[in-house]
Amino acid sequence: MTHPTVLSQSVRSRREAWAWGADRLQRAGTPASAALLEAEVLLRCAAGLTREELLARPSCELEETALVGYAGVIARRVGGVPTAYIVGRREFFGLELLVDGRALIPRPETEHLVDVVTAALGGRAAPVVVDIGTGCGAVAIAIARALPFARVLATDVSAAALDLARINAAGFRVEDRITWALGSALDPLDRLTGGRCVDAIVSNPPYIPTSEVARLPKEVREHEPAAALDGGPDGLNVHRAIVGGAARYLVPGGMLALEVAALWDQAATVAGLIAATRAFDAPGIVRDYAGADRIVVALKRRDESFGHARR
């Protein structure tokens, strides 16, 4: 680690600090394009700058406290701490959410889950949506913001994650339309729904096979919550729990939408699990912008003769 006083003697301007940080990150193994972006984000965090201020006046000298702070956050990033945890924020679906070690960092690919659900429910007057494994509240809050008359029921196995999600919901003024509950998979739904069916059940569950967790990047496996990553032997333990009972809680025509990993053929497996229940129409698979299978979607059959309906 470069000592902060060495940095303060050799680097003075915003431009120099930015280049220094990007070089340190790149030498630690971060790809060049990502290193440049992360160094910018960390510099703005340490110096209290907006992106506009940084780009408009790159030759401005940084104060000593900003230089020392910047050296410190670069050292933490080189040590493996995710940038989002260092700055305490992550953008998701146009919302800047608070993030920390209590919950998984929201990924851009999960925005597809919000897109699928909000597109399907946009014509319903006051839909009720269940978000299982809400984490920092990203999906629940994005849906509540996109559908102003929706009510969201959000669950998680971590009380600490739910505390963080509540803070985020309050920050975006949707806390009055989201109900939170502690519990695994579908376990909290009886008390949450009060015996009434919902319009959609959505989830980005843990989906990393246990044997693959040790192969994840250091910043993920050592800093993000293990319970939000490890999905069991094939990564689908929580998917199975949700699929097995989801129809019981959905209205006829209600939607089940589950995120899966692009690897390990999970989309086809989850689609097969859904089809095997005989409670849903043929499931579909939605690809992300990279062309990878990302979301498995199915609608509950309107013919309720299979016997799972709740009144």
Side-chain angles (χ1 to χ4, degrees):
M1 170 182 170
T2 300
H3 193 278
T5 55
V6 174
L7 170 63
S8 67
Q9 292 168 1
S10 60
V11 174
R12 299 308 307 177
S13 73
R14 296 170 179 175
R15 180 188 292 109
E16 291 167 342
W18 187 355
W20 175 86
D23 178 67
R24 289 282 293 138
L25 295 178
Q26 192 172 348
R27 285 193 284 121
T30 304
S33 58
L36 196 62
L37 177 60
E38 291 190 35
E40 176 202 334
V41 170
L42 293 171
L43 176 58
R44 289 194 285 112
C45 174
L49 297 169
T50 66
R51 191 162 200 269
E52 291 72 21
E53 288 170 335
L54 175 60
L55 296 179
R57 301 181 67 189
S59 59
C60 247
E61 287 197 359
L62 290 165
E63 294 184 0
E64 189 73 16
T65 53
L67 288 166
V68 171
Y70 183 52
V73 296
I74 288 291
R76 290 182 66 199
R77 183 67 189 97
V78 167
V81 181
T83 294
Y85 285 166
I86 294 173
V87 302
R89 301 183 303 277
R90 182 62 172 257
E91 184 178 329
F92 179 84
F93 214 76
L95 310 172
E96 193 169 79
L97 298 165
L98 300 178
V99 294
D100 58 35
R102 289 176 285 183
L104 198 73
I105 298 168
R107 267 60 172 185
E109 53 265 31
T110 303
E111 294 181 356
H112 289 273
L113 187 62
V114 178
D115 281 328
V116 166
V117 175
T118 54
L121 300 182
R124 302 196 185 194
V128 179
V129 181
V130 175
D131 174 29
I132 295 174
T134 194
C136 71
V139 170
I141 293 166
I143 289 173
R145 292 271 296 184
L147 301 175
F149 299 103
R151 179 171 163 238
V152 182
L153 312 176
T155 75
D156 204 280
V157 296
S158 166
L162 289 174
D163 287 341
L164 178 60
R166 288 188 184 96
I167 294 170
N168 276 319
F172 290 102
R173 300 181 180 179
V174 293
E175 70 273 23
D176 58 333
R177 291 193 289 115
I178 303 178
T179 303
W180 314 94
L182 183 67
S184 175
L186 301 173
D187 292 348
L189 292 198
D190 282 325
R191 68 179 185 271
L192 268 183
T193 62
R196 303 191 64 178
C197 290
V198 303
D199 295 276
I201 294 175
V202 308
S203 183
N204 174 24
Y207 53 55
I208 306 299
T210 302
S211 62
E212 298 293 329
V213 171
R215 297 185 178 94
L216 294 172
K218 179 181 178 180
E219 65 189 74
V220 177
R221 70 175 186 269
E222 293 188 0
H223 295 277
E224 299 196 61
L229 297 167
D230 190 340
D234 64 354
L236 300 178
N237 278 2
V238 181
H239 294 76
R240 286 188 177 87
I242 295 171
V243 169
R248 180 170 174 252
Y249 297 94
L250 287 166
V251 299
M255 167 181 279
L256 175 62
L258 302 174
E259 182 169 337
V260 296
L263 301 176
W264 311 299
D265 203 28
Q266 287 187 344
T269 302
V270 171
L273 293 172
I274 293 172
T277 69
R278 301 178 62 189
F280 294 87
D281 294 333
I285 297 172
V286 179
R287 292 180 174 177
D288 61 22
Y289 293 130
D293 294 343
R294 182 61 59 186
I295 312 294
V296 182
V297 183
L299 300 181
K300 179 180 170 180
R301 285 172 47 189
R302 295 184 183 274
D303 170 12
E304 298 181 292
S305 60
F306 53 85
H308 290 284
R310 280 157 48 102
R311 302 290 187 215

